Amino acid sequence: MKSTAQERTAIWALTPNGARLARIIAEEMPGITLFLSDKLKATIDGAIRFARLKDEVDRQFARFPRHIFIMATGIVVRSIADHLAHKTTDPAVVVCDEAGQFAISLVSGHIGGANALARETARATGGLPVITTATDVNRVPAIDVIAVENKLTIENPDAIKNVNMALITGNPIFIHDPFGKVAPRLPEGQIIPTAVNAFGQNDAGIFVDYLRLDLPPHVLVLRPGSLVAGMGCNRGTDVAEMRDLLVETFRTHNLAISSLRALATVDLKADEPGLLALAASLNLKITIFNRDRLNRVEQVPTPSTVVEKHIGVKSVCEAAALLATHRGRLIVPKQKTANVTVAVAADGYISSASDPAGRST
């Protein structure tokens, strides 16, 4: 569930009773923006007025991760239909009747957090949450909720239904989860630990790892943010050269770019335009280390006397990657082009499937 009560929530009302209920909900939830029909005489400080609901929804829908509509469900469906893309990206949508009797989770119940928002809304109004997702109705865990709560990237969301159906029916689930991120949250009697080459063609399966492997399409692939790429570069290096080396390194070593959680480098490169642009394009943070800390990392496989001579540190990419993973394991040593170096480290864990260099582990 990607949203929390602290995130921004839009509340929409068309009638006087709807406006009164909106005010009650707003008093119980932080981060609220009210949208009221301009036909209403009631005034609420800070409320945004609109002449036509659908026009304002068109302008505002993508700006808020959570929406509460106090009106008939049919009106809401017609107003938001054009904006719905996929359950992994749609915002949470809850519909509440203006008497506050029911709070209906309408869109993006699991990943978007509409089920949780419906419960929050019902607590504020004294009504009942209406939740229709099959896993919730059957009182079993939902794999998409587990993934989001554990900050796992869902690589193939179409496979979610296979796992959730197995959870509902009690059928076995084959799982590769050396991180222990998912397995402890699933019913013990349904889990069958499996080797990565043993997934069947029909059984539900879950693969939790940063390695890219050829898996059956029905196996749900979840990516942990376990990898950090340490990077060094010459001043003024173009972002394209940085990106090409990074992408090629991940491709060559069968690593999932969606498991990359950060870039890491030396303080001298903190304002490097190409590196900043690369991080922004991948929506990654950059972890900066000063040269003293980098020099205290002793076990770097490819130190450079040239780099040490110019900037006073024997390793940038390898040392930075190791530090950013809290002295994890370097799984890809320094790779380089004319102007860029990159190394990849993982958080204190190496996949039991295979070493990226091809060695068994």
Side-chain angles (χ1 to χ4, degrees), residues 28-42:
E28 298 295 324
M29 293 186 190
I32 293 294
T33 300
L34 296 179
F35 291 88
L36 303 178
S37 169
D38 62 8
K39 297 180 177 64
L40 296 175
K41 295 180 180 179

Side-chain angles (χ1 to χ4, degrees), residues 4-310:
T4 68
Q6 283 69 44
E7 291 186 290
R8 295 183 307 120
T9 305
I11 302 182
W12 304 78
L14 297 173
T15 67
N17 285 334
R20 282 192 288 271
L21 189 63
R23 188 197 295 269
I24 291 171
I25 297 171
E27 289 174 352
E28 298 295 324
M29 293 186 190
I32 293 294
T33 300
L34 296 179
F35 291 88
L36 303 178
S37 169
D38 62 8
K39 297 180 177 64
L40 296 175
K41 295 180 180 179
T43 60
I44 298 178
D45 290 344
I48 296 173
R49 296 289 187 151
F50 58 84
R52 185 171 181 268
L53 176 66
K54 189 175 186 311
D55 291 343
E56 193 65 25
V57 168
D58 290 344
R59 288 188 288 269
Q60 305 288 351
F61 192 71
R63 295 183 56 212
F64 292 84
R66 315 194 323 166
H67 294 266
I68 301 169
F69 290 87
I70 305 174
M71 60 195 70
T73 304
I75 297 172
V76 179
V77 170
R78 286 189 290 272
S79 298
I80 69 174
D82 293 343
H83 301 282
L84 299 181
H86 197 277
K87 65 180 181 179
T88 59
T89 57
D90 292 334
V93 177
V94 165
V95 179
C96 189
D97 65 282
E98 64 179 47
Q101 299 176 92
F102 302 102
I104 305 167
S105 173
L106 185 67
V107 170
S108 207
H110 284 161
I111 296 176
N115 289 355
L117 180 59
R119 295 185 181 101
E120 292 175 38
T121 304
R123 283 195 296 270
T125 64
L128 293 174
V130 179
I131 307 226
T132 59
T133 42
T135 50
D136 295 86
V137 171
N138 287 278
R139 299 182 183 277
V140 298
I143 191 59
D144 38 348
V145 172
I146 293 172
V148 172
E149 289 177 347
N150 284 278
K151 299 181 180 180
L152 299 169
T153 299
I154 301 171
E155 191 164 281
N156 55 337
D158 287 344
I160 291 172
K161 61 181 180 291
N162 303 320
V163 177
N164 280 344
M165 182 58 70
L167 287 165
I168 292 168
T169 59
N171 287 332
I173 300 169
F174 293 82
I175 186 167
H176 167 81
D177 181 21
F179 288 89
K181 293 282 191 180
V182 170
R185 299 282 303 276
L186 299 178
E188 187 175 349
Q190 287 184 254
I191 300 171
I192 302 177
T194 187
V196 294
N197 59 354
F199 284 105
Q201 292 302 313
N202 298 306
D203 297 313
I206 305 171
F207 179 82
V208 186
D209 211 322
Y210 53 68
L211 288 179
R212 288 190 304 107
L213 299 175
D214 187 14
L215 297 168
H218 69 276
V219 174
L220 180 63
V221 178
L222 304 177
R223 300 297 190 189
S226 304
L227 305 181
V228 173
M231 298 193 75
C233 64
N234 291 330
R235 181 61 68 183
T237 300
D238 187 78
V239 64
E241 185 175 347
M242 297 182 186
R243 184 185 298 110
D244 289 348
L245 178 60
L246 180 66
V247 170
E248 179 61 19
T249 297
F250 271 67
R251 186 194 66 79
T252 301
H253 294 85
N254 295 317
L255 302 174
I257 201 75
S258 52
S259 280
L260 180 61
R261 75 160 185 268
L263 306 179
T265 193
V266 64
D267 52 9
L268 291 173
K269 303 299 177 183
D271 61 348
E272 185 65 40
L275 195 59
L276 294 173
L278 177 63
S281 69
L282 296 172
N283 195 28
L284 297 173
K285 66 178 183 179
I286 303 178
T287 303
I288 305 297
F289 296 104
N290 63 42
R291 282 160 286 176
D292 288 340
R293 288 198 66 188
L294 293 174
N295 271 329
R296 288 199 294 269
V297 181
E298 296 179 355
Q299 295 180 340
V300 289
T302 51
S304 171
T305 56
V306 174
V307 173
E308 187 172 18
K309 177 181 177 181
H310 282 85

Side-chain angles (χ1 to χ4, degrees), residues 305-328:
T305 56
V306 174
V307 173
E308 187 172 18
K309 177 181 177 181
H310 282 85
I311 67 172
V313 61
K314 61 182 179 292
S315 171
V316 172
C317 65
E318 291 175 339
L322 287 168
L323 282 175
T325 53
H326 307 290
R327 301 299 179 94

